[in-house]
Amino acid sequence: MQVESSGRPHNAGLTGGKAGRMERDFEGKVAVVTGTTGIGEGAALRLARGGASVCALGIDTAANARLAGMAREQGLVLQTIAADVSKAADVEKAFAETVARFGGIDVLVNCAGIQTYGTVVTTTLEDWDRVIDVNLKSIYLTGHFAIPYMIRRGGGAIVHIASVQGHACQRNVAGYAASKGAIHALTRSMALDHAKDNIRVNSVSPGSVRTPMLEFAARELGGPGQGMEDKIVEFGAKHPLGRVGTIEEIADLIAFLAGPHCGFCTGADFLADGGLKAGLSV
Ligand SMILES: NC(=O)c1ccc[n+]([C@@H]2O[C@H](COP(=O)([O-])OP(=O)(O)OC[C@H]3O[C@@H](n4cnc5c(N)ncnc54)[C@H](O)[C@@H]3O)[C@@H](O)[C@H]2O)c1
């Protein structure tokens, strides 16, 4: 398993930038984040700036190295681990490695995910299995391996990234929408089962957020002669706030849900969709 590290000692001090002004709301905590680009990258950096020691798990080794490099430049305690979160052996090993290095797990944030397109007729069996494995089975696997470590620490907080598409969806995203709706159900189930362990479990359902996934969608779905930027503006215009969200806006919500100011929230989904679900598309 390939590991990239910022090389800084556990909970070393921060210097400069936003980190200098930010509350150290994760001081002494250990966080695991899945996904090392987009929202996962933003969440990992936000938690590390808050004082957490972070292990970020990702399948994309180039992205892992890039994130570890960014953390190193910012003086953050953040290591990345190459792992396929749909594979039990990878997840088990990554959590064991996190605990060996940082002593336990307090926070888990599941951001790894893929987008597939198709109806139930046009979606191949391979695509269906892959989207359910990466988006949903990974949530089972990370919870399965992380929760026993959290119990040993006396509790913890888990945040899953679902999607507004788990509530109400577009056409042609059958597998993706099913995986995200199932995350809402699994969030409730995990919250009930582990409230007694002092573990809170919530989900975030973003609308369109500017990440590599959205840029890919903008390139795929753009009309003839329409550039990616124009398509992203078009996505944004569908949201009552008139724009797509930023990674930082989602990372701040994740940090709030995982942090000390959200102690009485569990089993809930939090929309961060620019008002998308509040309206009717008429
Ligand atoms: N960007 C949006 O508009 C949007 C909206 C709603 C929900 N989401 C959800 O947010 C989450 C993060 O997506 P993003 O927008 O940051 O896109 P992204 O593509 O930048 O991030 C997804 C990450 O998951 C990683 N990944 C994919 N398969 C993996 C696997 N098997 N094992 C480990 N890592 C794997 C990718 O390498 C990537 O780093 C996803 O679950 C996505 O469904 C995104």
Side-chain angles (χ1 to χ4, degrees):
M1 195 168 283
Q2 192 179 335
V3 174
E4 302 272 349
S5 172
S6 70
R8 297 262 310 184
H10 182 47
N11 283 332
L14 300 178
T15 50
K18 198 179 173 190
R21 299 191 301 278
M22 187 177 282
E23 184 193 350
R24 302 276 292 171
D25 45 1
F26 291 92
E27 195 74 68
K29 301 291 184 189
V30 179
V32 174
V33 177
T34 73
T36 53
T37 57
I39 294 170
E41 174 189 298
L45 291 171
R46 167 63 183 84
L47 296 175
R49 287 185 192 122
S53 300
V54 177
C55 269
L57 277 48
I59 200 167
D60 177 345
T61 52
N64 294 355
R66 192 176 145 267
L67 176 57
M70 287 165 68
R72 199 177 304 124
E73 277 169 21
Q74 296 177 38
L76 302 172
V77 183
L78 189 160
Q79 84 170 50
T80 58
I81 298 177
D84 180 341
V85 295
S86 70
K87 299 231 170 355
D90 279 18
V91 176
E92 182 174 23
K93 200 168 167 197
F95 281 108
E97 208 170 297
T98 302
V99 171
R101 172 146 186 176
F102 294 129
I105 297 170
D106 304 291
V107 171
L108 166 64
V109 181
N110 279 303
C111 303
I114 55 171
Q115 167 92 65
T116 53
Y117 294 100
T119 66
V120 291
V121 175
T122 60
T123 299
T124 63
L125 186 57
E126 189 186 24
D127 271 0
W128 178 268
D129 285 346
R130 188 76 190 137
V131 75
I132 297 298
D133 281 0
V134 175
N135 293 7
L136 181 61
K137 189 167 92 179
S138 65
I139 306 257
Y140 151 69
L141 287 174
T142 55
H144 180 78
F145 291 113
I147 286 173
Y149 290 122
M150 288 183 171
I151 290 172
R152 283 188 220 162
R153 301 271 271 196
I158 301 176
V159 181
H160 307 311
I161 307 307
S163 170
V164 71
Q165 304 235 33
H167 291 281
C169 68
Q170 299 165 292
R171 294 178 180 84
N172 212 38
V173 291
Y176 183 79
S179 74
K180 296 302 185 176
I183 292 174
H184 295 151
L186 188 51
T187 299
R188 291 188 288 271
S189 168
M190 290 173 68
L192 290 178
D193 289 341
H194 297 289
K196 66 176 182 349
D197 302 316
N198 193 32
I199 296 171
R200 296 184 301 101
V201 188
N202 293 291
S203 61
V204 171
S205 285
S208 297
V209 179
R210 180 139 194 177
T211 67
M213 183 184 281
L214 192 80
E215 290 176 354
F216 174 79
R219 282 192 295 270
E220 288 288 300
L221 303 176
Q226 188 180 32
M228 182 186 78
E229 294 298 335
D230 289 344
K231 191 69 188 173
I232 288 175
V233 169
E234 189 185 305
F235 288 153
K238 293 189 194 318
H239 297 65
L241 288 181
R243 63 174 176 85
V244 302
T246 67
I247 288 170
E248 290 74 20
E249 286 169 329
I250 307 302
D252 279 341
L253 177 57
I254 291 167
F256 173 70
L257 293 173
H261 304 303
C262 191
F264 204 48
C265 296
T266 196
D269 181 65
F270 293 79
L271 284 164
D273 69 346
L276 195 60
K277 193 174 158 264
L280 296 169
S281 56
V282 290

